[in-house]
Amino acid sequence: MAVRVRQAGLMACAALMLVQCSGADDMPAPDAASRDMSPAAEELDALALESGALPDSAALDPAGRYGRRYEGGSDSLCLVPEEAARGRYRFGVESRIGADEYCRGAGRARLSAGKMLLRFEGAGRDCLIVARYEGDRVEMPGGLDLRCAALCSSRGSFAGVSFPRVDRSAEAARAMQDSRGRPLCR
């Protein structure tokens, strides 16, 4: 098994070197409409997944705690599986910047093709965010629907916020609290 993993890693490195040295300067730049990966890139990704160098985010259960603290604030996200629906989750999210600026909301989520669909309930019920799920992090897009502003203070925003995974435990996610001491995942 170790020999096969090493061979896959060597093949991935060789393929990457070929792509890098193949005269890419002569090739036209891809336009925004062509976002499909080249066969060489797809093969590299497949080899990296097979060797374990990249996690297979589609196979990882997203339930758990996500977040980080930094000098100016904190970002928290919890994902708890819904009991009745496989592949669906309840979530709570809060992003704080300083003492006065924040975004906060909760709702239902589901995973679809590497994307985390976050549909908010309550004050931001018209807000839907399609975040990127990478197995060990959830990343909000840089631009959000204006209806999501109802979830935030005057200068707060979820735009571009990244939530690294802290724990894979659904119990730990259920125990998370927001900055006011209330359960984050309801």
Side-chain angles (χ1 to χ4, degrees):
M1 178 68 177
V3 172
R4 183 177 174 159
V5 169
R6 184 172 181 202
Q7 287 174 338
L10 290 173
M11 288 175 51
C13 288
L16 182 60
M17 289 172 56
L18 280 172
V19 169
Q20 293 291 324
C21 298
S22 67
D25 295 68
D26 304 335
M27 299 175 66
D31 62 353
S34 66
R35 296 183 194 251
D36 293 309
M37 291 178 24
S38 71
E42 287 178 3
E43 186 175 344
L44 280 175
D45 277 0
L47 287 171
L49 285 170
E50 182 180 327
S51 70
L54 282 179
D56 184 2
S57 61
L60 294 174
D61 184 8
R65 292 185 316 134
Y66 298 78
R68 63 190 175 112
R69 293 194 182 281
Y70 47 92
E71 188 175 328
S74 64
D75 302 318
S76 302
L77 169 71
C78 58
L79 284 161
V80 177
E82 285 192 338
E83 311 247 341
R86 181 168 156 73
R88 298 194 183 264
Y89 302 85
R90 288 188 335 272
F91 76 90
V93 62
E94 181 179 60
S95 182
R96 295 208 59 88
I97 305 136
D100 299 325
E101 301 303 327
Y102 65 89
C103 288
R104 175 183 310 123
R108 303 220 183 289
R110 69 182 171 93
L111 190 60
S112 177
K115 302 291 184 196
M116 179 67 62
L117 306 173
L118 304 167
R119 182 171 306 279
F120 288 83
E121 299 170 343
R125 72 173 190 259
D126 293 332
C127 175
L128 172 69
I129 296 177
V130 181
R132 190 168 67 200
Y133 173 67
E134 297 180 343
D136 62 347
R137 100 176 33 256
V138 175
E139 292 186 17
M140 301 289 199
L144 299 175
D145 189 327
L146 291 176
R147 293 177 284 197
C148 296
L151 299 166
C152 301
S153 63
S154 63
R155 294 189 326 212
S157 177
F158 281 130
V161 176
S162 178
F163 300 91
R165 188 189 289 266
V166 176
D167 194 323
R168 295 185 186 279
S169 166
E171 288 75 31
R174 281 186 192 92
M176 284 181 77
Q177 296 180 346
D178 67 12
S179 59
R180 296 179 182 173
R182 299 177 303 188
L184 191 60
C185 272
R186 298 179 196 138

